[in-house]
Amino acid sequence: MDILIIDDDAVDRMSAIRTLRKSELALDRIDQSDTAAEGIRLASEHNYDVILLDYQIPPSNGIEILREIRGGNDYSTAIVMLSHSNDERLALACVEAGAQDFIMKSEVTSSRLKRAILISQERHSLEQEVRSSHDQLRYIAERDSLTGLRNRYFFDETLRDAVTRNSRTGEQLVLLLLDLDNFKKVNDVLGHQAGDRLLQEIARRLEQPIRESDKLCRLGGDEFAILVYDLPQLEHVRLLVTRIFKSLEKPLIIHGQTVEVTVSIGVATYPLCATDATGLMKCADVAMYRAKELGRNRVQYYSVDFHEKMVSRMQLEFDLKQAIKGDQLTLFFQPQLDTHSEQLVGVEALIRWQHHTLGMIQPDEFIPIAEESDLIIDIGRWVIEAACRQFSQWVETAQGTHICFSIAVNLSARQLKDHALSEFLQRCLAQHNIPADLVELELTESHLENSLSAVEMLNSLSATGVRLSLDDFGTGYSSLSHLSQFPFSILKIDKSFVQSGDDKQQRTLLKAICAFAHSLGYETVAEGIETEEQKQLCQSLNVNRLQGYLFSQPISAESFENNWLQSVV
């Protein structure tokens, strides 16, 4: 057994040594120190089994020495405090500070000292077991079970501590938020096990470009964070980002499949962007969102202007939720005319939002927000029901006269994930007594997903008897094989082809599109007709229907009734 005695009184040290030798303990080494500094040095250099520490060692006291030894020796040694005082409060304070026992020097006998040392060692052993269990539990609590990286709990605690520390030191702190691009497709196509394997490999790669002092965490899902300390220059952040992109450059092989991974990164710095942990996190999140918006696979550094836009967007999303409940949404209608007779043959229902303070908001502003937040499901159903209800009223207005025009409703690709959409559509048609063949559902070509679930949903909608129209045709990636998978019967030619009719190449493309559509039996609709020349061009190409400002801009239901409905009833 190795023992260290720290006591400034030589007589007390010699007395303790004599008592130890009478105690029948297996003593291998007894070291002495008459100063606090030397005692602390010896304790740090050698792993003693027990330290006998005098409470009074000028200029320090035993508790101060005890705490310093504990801090530097990582609780690896049992410590027994010795004192001439019989103050119980002093004894309690020593135990609370980390001592295993407290003995008055006047009570030191060989048996008493032996018992105190053995009990202290046992207490210390139990302490170590508790500490080890605590460390294991803490490790589990702070680790992501999938990747082995630090988790969200560790990140939140570390970020708060780092901001507090850096507020005192004045050092900069850099936060990088990373989000994998299109990770959901990996789960959808290859399965969740492949997705998990991908995250593990990404975590391994992200550890390569960072320094040992940096903290890499997985926040959840496919989102990671890196805390970067004490960078000498912010320019080094750009170099770190470059290394991160480089580490992910090589494709991964997951379950035998080659997967290319890109990442969007948002960067915010303390105290330049924010002065607290919550604010810094928000800034990095805003920057990361901006990187996604700009096309993914890029880094974006936080800016105040974009943050204000994000705050405005969040407010608009909140207002949109209220608008659905508060009857702020309305439909406008734009006529579609037969190309040759120029008689009304159809009408497109277009959603508008009458905001309580901002006035009329166009769909280009709020539909993307609705799609990102999944509000599009509720809005899409509202449009279908409102269009059916309005069309039913027009049928009643006709008073038995045969309605010879159809109504078209726009459908978001996100609505194809609404598995009950077909049943909802059938209920609306039945409730309002509308023939299904007079209803058209328009889906934008560029947003169309070529997936099995999308094909199944479109087939299900087509089975209700409604007609399906492919909107903005020519701007997406349709091919003959692509189109043949979907039950579309109408192709709506994008206005860019019609309005660029003076351009020889665009005119040739428009002719090719019309010839292609007619040869395969598709009905065609040309949108964006604004001039007589554009109308005549479409007439010469035998486009079936015309739509555009030359005939009418989108108008309210009342205006449509007064200006158009009378001509067909």
Side-chain angles (χ1 to χ4, degrees):
M1 179 180 292
D2 294 349
I3 296 177
L4 171 65
I5 301 173
I6 306 175
D7 194 329
D8 65 328
D9 190 318
V11 174
D12 286 345
R13 290 200 308 274
M14 296 306 297
S15 175
I17 292 173
R18 286 194 302 270
T19 305
L20 283 170
R21 287 174 176 161
K22 295 178 183 178
S23 66
E24 300 180 352
L25 290 170
L27 301 174
D28 298 316
R29 174 176 178 175
I30 301 176
D31 291 336
Q32 305 177 52
S33 172
D34 60 356
T35 66
E38 185 185 16
I40 293 170
R41 179 184 62 80
L42 289 172
S44 66
E45 293 176 353
H46 187 79
N47 188 22
Y48 293 99
D49 295 295
V50 177
I51 296 176
L52 301 181
L53 175 61
D54 183 20
Y55 177 75
Q56 290 291 347
I57 302 184
S60 305
N61 64 50
I63 290 181
E64 292 173 353
I65 300 171
L66 169 64
R67 286 172 176 163
E68 188 159 352
I69 292 175
R70 283 297 198 196
N73 209 30
D74 199 23
Y75 298 89
S76 61
T77 301
I79 299 177
V80 177
M81 298 291 290
L82 303 174
S83 176
H84 289 293
S85 172
N86 65 352
D87 188 342
E88 292 183 355
R89 288 177 297 179
L90 175 61
L92 181 59
C94 290
V95 172
E96 288 177 346
Q100 275 71 41
D101 206 343
F102 181 94
I103 305 176
M104 289 182 60
K105 290 186 176 182
S106 60
E107 296 177 354
V108 173
T109 63
S110 58
S111 60
R112 176 75 175 88
L113 191 56
K114 177 181 178 181
R115 184 170 66 250
I117 288 175
L118 293 177
I119 291 175
S120 295
Q121 283 189 304
E122 182 62 25
R123 285 177 178 171
H124 178 66
S125 177
L126 293 173
E127 237 180 57
Q128 292 294 89
E129 289 181 16
V130 171
R131 179 178 176 81
S132 176
S133 297
H134 177 269
D135 289 343
Q136 291 177 17
L137 290 173
R138 182 172 182 176
Y139 180 89
I140 294 172
E142 293 181 347
R143 291 283 172 174
D144 173 50
S145 59
L146 177 64
T147 63
L149 299 179
R150 303 287 190 173
N151 60 14
R152 181 61 184 258
Y153 168 77
F154 174 85
F155 169 79
D156 289 340
E157 294 292 318
T158 303
L159 179 60
R160 280 195 293 268
D161 292 344
V163 168
T164 301
R165 182 177 63 254
N166 286 31
S167 67
R168 295 194 302 267
T169 64
E171 295 178 344
Q172 291 184 339
L173 177 70
V174 181
L175 171 60
L176 291 81
L177 280 189
L178 301 83
D179 190 89
L180 302 185
D181 298 328
N182 301 314
F183 174 72
K184 185 177 181 298
K185 289 185 177 179
V186 176
N187 279 336
D188 291 344
V189 176
L190 300 181
H192 288 280
Q193 286 187 345
D196 289 347
R197 181 71 189 89
L198 175 65
L199 290 172
Q200 291 170 340
E201 178 61 20
I202 292 297
R204 186 187 67 80
R205 291 195 182 188
L206 288 177
E207 288 179 312
Q208 299 171 8
I210 64 175
R211 302 172 305 168
E212 187 176 348
S213 60
D214 300 333
K215 299 292 185 283
L216 170 63
C217 310
R218 181 187 175 214
L219 302 186
D222 61 341
E223 193 172 30
F224 298 82
I226 301 175
L227 277 175
V228 182
Y229 300 87
D230 56 46
L231 277 180
Q233 295 180 6
L234 284 179
E235 170 65 14
H236 292 173
V237 177
R238 185 185 62 81
L239 300 177
L240 172 59
V241 169
T242 300
R243 294 198 301 271
I244 291 172
F245 282 129
K246 187 72 175 176
S247 71
L248 301 177
E249 203 171 56
K250 185 179 178 182
L252 291 80
I253 306 299
I254 305 295
H255 292 181
Q257 299 289 324
T258 301
V259 180
E260 292 188 354
V261 177
T262 61
V263 64
S264 297
I265 304 176
V267 180
T269 59
Y270 170 90
L272 183 62
C273 298
T275 56
D276 58 51
T278 302
L280 189 63
M281 185 67 181
K282 286 181 179 178
C283 292
D285 193 53
V286 165
M288 188 266 289
Y289 184 92
R290 178 62 170 168
K292 291 278 189 186
E293 189 180 70
L294 290 175
R296 306 173 188 269
N297 193 27
R298 64 185 65 218
V299 61
Q300 186 71 20
Y301 299 88
Y302 174 78
S303 74
V304 175
D305 288 344
F306 185 68
H307 178 69
E308 291 175 352
K309 290 179 182 178
M310 285 294 298
V311 171
S312 176
R313 181 200 175 282
M314 292 172 61
Q315 183 61 49
L316 208 60
E317 179 180 333
F318 174 80
D319 291 347
L320 186 55
K321 292 179 182 178
Q322 308 307 311
I324 299 172
K325 305 173 185 177
D327 199 29
Q328 297 178 26
L329 301 178
T330 186
L331 290 181
F332 274 39
F333 302 89
Q334 188 172 33
Q336 297 176 344
L337 308 185
D338 177 80
T339 300
H340 299 292
S341 68
E342 298 189 24
Q343 295 297 309
L344 180 70
V345 291
V347 62
E348 181 179 4
L350 299 164
I351 189 171
R352 297 291 186 268
W353 177 11
Q354 185 65 45
H355 193 277
H356 58 285
T357 58
L358 301 177
M360 188 66 72
I361 300 179
Q362 299 299 313
D364 287 349
E365 295 183 49
F366 68 86
I367 290 299
I369 295 175
E371 290 181 333
E372 291 172 9
S373 61
D374 281 337
L375 291 173
I376 194 65
I377 302 297
D378 292 334
I379 291 177
R381 289 193 173 202
W382 180 91
V383 170
I384 291 173
E385 200 283 327
C388 288
R389 182 174 64 251
Q390 182 60 68
F391 196 71
S392 175
Q393 293 175 7
W394 288 337
V395 171
E396 291 180 8
T397 302
Q399 298 178 345
T401 303
H402 177 65
I403 290 290
C404 56
F405 68 95
S406 60
I407 186 167
V409 175
N410 288 284
L411 199 67
S412 165
R414 295 292 293 272
Q415 290 177 259
L416 298 182
K417 301 183 186 299
D418 181 4
H419 300 296
L421 183 60
S422 294
E423 291 78 4
F424 176 80
L425 176 61
Q426 287 177 308
R427 287 199 303 271
C428 286
L429 294 174
Q431 178 182 351
H432 297 290
N433 195 27
I434 299 173
D437 62 350
L438 293 182
V439 176
E440 299 171 5
L441 298 180
E442 293 187 7
L443 195 70
T444 301
E445 178 188 12
S446 59
H447 295 161
L448 183 62
E449 293 184 14
N450 187 17
S451 63
L452 181 61
S453 60
V455 173
E456 290 177 348
M457 177 56 73
L458 289 172
N459 284 329
S460 177
L461 292 171
S462 180
T464 65
V466 302
R467 303 176 69 199
L468 300 183
S469 172
L470 189 58
D471 197 8
D472 294 344
F473 183 71
T475 60
Y477 305 98
S478 291
S479 63
L480 288 175
S481 60
H482 188 183
L483 275 177
S484 65
Q485 299 178 39
F486 301 110
F488 292 108
S489 58
I490 303 167
L491 299 183
K492 197 168 185 183
I493 302 167
D494 187 69
K495 63 183 180 181
S496 62
F497 294 99
V498 175
Q499 295 177 351
S500 301
D502 294 337
D503 182 279
K504 184 177 180 180
Q505 184 178 10
Q506 290 293 92
R507 193 183 188 98
T508 301
L509 283 173
L510 178 59
K511 290 180 180 180
I513 289 171
C514 293
F516 160 78
H518 293 150
S519 67
L520 295 178
Y522 290 106
E523 185 177 351
T524 52
V525 181
E527 59 181 347
I529 307 296
E530 297 182 355
T531 67
E532 282 290 334
E533 290 76 12
Q534 293 167 3
K535 180 186 77 171
Q536 291 170 10
L537 173 61
C538 292
Q539 287 173 334
S540 68
L541 297 175
N542 292 317
V543 174
N544 299 103
R545 288 188 246 165
L546 305 176
Q547 179 180 347
Y549 279 19
L550 178 64
F551 312 108
S552 174
Q553 62 182 2
I555 54 179
S556 66
E558 182 180 1
S559 296
F560 180 81
E561 292 174 11
N562 295 334
N563 296 293
W564 291 93
L565 192 58
Q566 298 301 323
S567 65
V568 294
V569 298

